[in-house]
């Protein structure tokens, strides 16, 4: 029997020769969650001028500690005149600091009498002033290529007046479910059948990783039909993903179909859950190849495999480094366990306490218990042949898209 492959080797094989996909231009309003294909340079200073951080009075700090005439009123969006010597200006949050002023005093600290204002002494230069370019300087890199456009990044772009961006095309994914016993929700179950929990779960995960699921198909337990389904999917997608059919059973046809049509890079990993996982390539008919990932049929194995393999693959295709590696958290075990010859990725719930981060493992870690994935927020990495006791340090992978 072939030796089990370490996960590090599997990831290296999966990502070998993967290049970011082509780019496309999108309106900013439709670019949420997309990945920048090129860095964006700031064309404007933000803020564009010195302005007041609060409602109050603008003046020269040297004039503080006296009654000053109020020489003008400056609202946000209105131009300011140069400040008359020995005077102050009524100013509102965001209002342009007038030439000659170097500080702002909040209105609660100022006594007003008609057109005069008593300014307290001891006001520092720069008090309550937002300086020009404090946030962004013109000519600086606003966002790097490979940045995923979340809410704040979209606001950052909009603040420069940008209304369209160059982003990576989303990876096109074909998601195939194998097994005559697997039926779709809404269909009455016959004896021996079960509902397809993998399809909606993996589709949501893939879309959260930035992919576009373009093809869904159920693959019967038939060698010829399996080959036809794989060929059809490869012609449509950048990545073909199957669930089930990659083990050693008589009705597991996916591995043999992959070998007949394309290349099997590796099979059977030294991890738990998810040992029967296949990686390879399929010809697309246009001189290119589609990446192939054959996930196990057990739902927990598919869930874990998606985080360990599909997320970094989508990250490489999108040119997004943040997706290629899951964030790591150091925690102490709040459980005990002993592992065998495979590295175990245990579903855990993290608790943040005054003493640090605790990892609480779900009692039943079987690969069929999907309820543990509903509540888990991390995977605790437990190396082979290790005995873990409460209080032992663990590295956990944070499950965040």
């Amino acid at each position: 029997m072939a030796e089990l492959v370490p996960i590090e080797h599997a990831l290296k094989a999966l990502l070998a020769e993967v290049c970011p996909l082509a780019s496309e231009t999108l309106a900013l309003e439709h670019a949420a969650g997309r990945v920048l294909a090129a860095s964006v340079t700031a064309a404007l200073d933000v803020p564009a001028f010195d302005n007041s951080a609060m409602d109050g009075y603008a003046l020269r700090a040297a004039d503080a500690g006296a009654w000053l005439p109020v020489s003008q009123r400056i609202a946000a969006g209105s131009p300011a005149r140069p400040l008359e010597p020995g005077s102050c200006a009524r100013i509102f949050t965001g209002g342009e600091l007038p030439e000659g002023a170097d500080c702002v005093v909040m209105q609660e600290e100022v006594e007003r009498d008609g057109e005069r204002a008593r300014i307290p002494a001891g006001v520092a230069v720069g008090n309550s002033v937002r300086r020009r370019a404090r946030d962004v300087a013109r000519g600086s890199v606003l966002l790097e290529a490979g940045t995923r456009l979340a809410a704040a990044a979209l606001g950052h772009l909009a603040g420069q007046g940008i209304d369209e961006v160059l982003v990576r095309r989303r990876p096109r994914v074909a998601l195939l479910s194998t097994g005559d016993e697997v039926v779709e929700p809404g269909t009455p179950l016959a004896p021996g059948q079960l509902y397809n929990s993998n399809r909606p779960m993996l589709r949501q995960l893939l879309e959260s990783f930035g992919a576009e699921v373009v093809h869904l198909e159920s693959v019967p337990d038939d060698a010829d039909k399996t080959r036809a389904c794989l060929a059809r999917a490869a012609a449509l997608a950048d990545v073909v993903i199957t669930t089930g059919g990659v083990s050693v059973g008589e009705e597991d046809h996916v591995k043999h179909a992959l070998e007949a049509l394309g290349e099997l890079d590796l099979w059977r990993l030294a991890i738990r859950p998810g040992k029967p996982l296949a990686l390879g390539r399929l010809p697309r008919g246009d001189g290119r190849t589609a990446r192939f990932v054959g996930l196990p049929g057990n739902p927990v194995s598919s869930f874990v495999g998606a985080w360990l393999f599909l997320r970094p693959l989508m990250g490489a295709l999108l040119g997004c480094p943040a997706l290629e590696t899951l964030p790591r958290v150091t925690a102490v075990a709040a459980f005990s366990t002993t592992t065998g010859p495979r590295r175990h990725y245990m579903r855990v719930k993290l608790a943040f306490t005054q003493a640090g981060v605790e990892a609480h493992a779900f009692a039943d870690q079987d690969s069929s218990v999907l309820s543990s994935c509903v509540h888990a927020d991390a995977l605790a990495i437990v190396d082979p042949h290790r005995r873990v006791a409460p209080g032992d340090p663990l590295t956990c992978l944070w499950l965040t898209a």
Side-chain angles (χ1 to χ4, degrees):
M1 183 174 289
E3 184 177 350
L4 298 182
V5 178
I7 186 172
E8 292 82 5
H9 294 178
L11 283 169
K12 185 176 180 180
L14 174 68
L15 302 179
E17 301 173 11
V18 173
C19 297
L21 297 170
S23 58
E24 60 184 355
T25 300
L26 281 185
L28 187 65
E29 61 182 326
H30 300 306
R34 302 297 292 271
V35 175
L36 279 180
S39 297
V40 178
T41 300
L44 303 173
D45 290 329
V46 178
F49 45 81
D50 293 350
N51 67 87
S52 177
M54 59 185 59
D55 294 346
Y57 293 83
L59 64 144
R60 295 176 180 84
D63 293 335
W67 284 92
L68 301 176
V70 179
S71 57
Q72 62 177 303
R73 183 179 186 276
I74 308 168
S78 301
R81 304 189 308 273
L83 186 67
E84 296 177 9
S87 75
C88 64
R90 180 71 167 116
I91 196 167
F92 297 90
T93 303
E96 181 183 8
L97 193 72
E99 180 185 341
D102 58 19
C103 64
V104 172
V105 179
M106 62 188 300
Q107 62 186 16
E108 291 83 355
E109 297 178 357
V110 175
E111 182 182 349
R112 184 74 182 259
D113 180 15
E115 294 305 308
R116 298 189 309 156
R118 187 180 184 281
I119 309 298
V123 182
V125 172
N127 186 71
S128 296
V129 173
R130 297 173 180 147
R131 293 298 182 189
R132 178 174 182 163
R134 176 178 179 174
D135 186 12
V136 179
R138 183 175 60 180
S140 64
V141 175
L142 188 72
L143 293 172
E144 298 277 0
T147 299
R148 203 166 187 196
L149 297 178
L154 292 171
H156 215 31
L157 292 167
Q160 290 285 313
I162 293 171
D163 63 352
E164 60 180 28
V165 287
L166 190 68
V167 297
R168 292 290 174 194
R169 176 175 67 78
R170 290 187 293 174
R172 300 188 183 104
V173 175
L175 183 55
L176 310 182
S177 306
T178 73
D180 290 338
E181 78 281 11
V182 179
V183 299
E184 296 308 309
T187 304
L189 286 176
Q193 291 184 326
L194 69 157
Y195 286 121
N196 188 350
S197 56
N198 278 323
R199 178 176 288 176
M201 176 180 71
L202 291 175
R203 182 171 190 171
Q204 192 281 327
L205 283 173
L206 285 162
E207 290 174 348
S208 73
F209 300 156
E212 178 185 10
V213 178
V214 297
H215 182 66
L216 298 166
E217 190 168 356
S218 296
V219 183
D221 288 329
D222 178 273
D224 291 337
K225 291 180 180 178
T226 299
R227 285 194 296 272
C229 287
L230 288 183
R232 185 162 50 248
L236 298 170
D238 304 299
V239 180
V240 177
I241 299 167
T242 61
T243 55
V246 292
S247 192
V248 293
E250 293 182 7
E251 298 299 329
D252 292 327
H253 301 291
V254 172
K255 175 175 174 286
H256 298 299
L258 173 63
E259 291 175 314
L261 293 171
E263 299 177 35
L264 175 66
D265 291 333
L266 57 87
W267 175 58
R268 302 178 75 245
L269 304 184
I271 64 172
R272 176 186 173 208
K275 180 177 73 172
L277 187 145
L279 303 176
R281 308 158 198 241
L282 288 164
R284 296 186 56 181
D286 57 1
R288 295 179 294 167
T289 57
R291 294 284 166 155
F292 172 85
V293 180
L295 296 173
N298 280 326
V300 173
S301 298
S302 281
F303 179 83
V304 173
W307 286 100
L308 296 182
F309 295 98
L310 300 185
R311 185 181 186 273
L313 178 56
M314 297 306 125
L317 290 168
L318 288 164
C320 181
L323 278 172
E324 291 191 47
T325 306
L326 277 166
R328 293 178 174 241
V329 178
T330 300
V332 295
F335 61 92
S336 59
T337 191
T338 302
T339 57
R342 291 180 282 157
R343 181 183 291 174
H344 197 174
Y345 289 85
M346 300 183 67
R347 284 87 72 199
V348 297
K349 187 77 175 175
L350 299 180
F352 295 84
T353 71
Q354 290 185 339
V357 185
E358 296 177 347
H360 296 261
F362 292 91
D364 193 342
Q365 293 282 327
D366 188 81
S367 61
S368 64
V369 182
L370 188 58
S371 58
S372 63
C373 299
V374 174
H375 304 289
D377 48 29
L379 299 173
I381 305 173
V382 185
D383 286 329
H385 306 295
R386 181 180 174 186
R387 186 184 299 274
V388 175
D392 287 349
L394 291 171
T395 297
C396 300
L397 302 178
W398 193 284
L399 301 180
T400 175

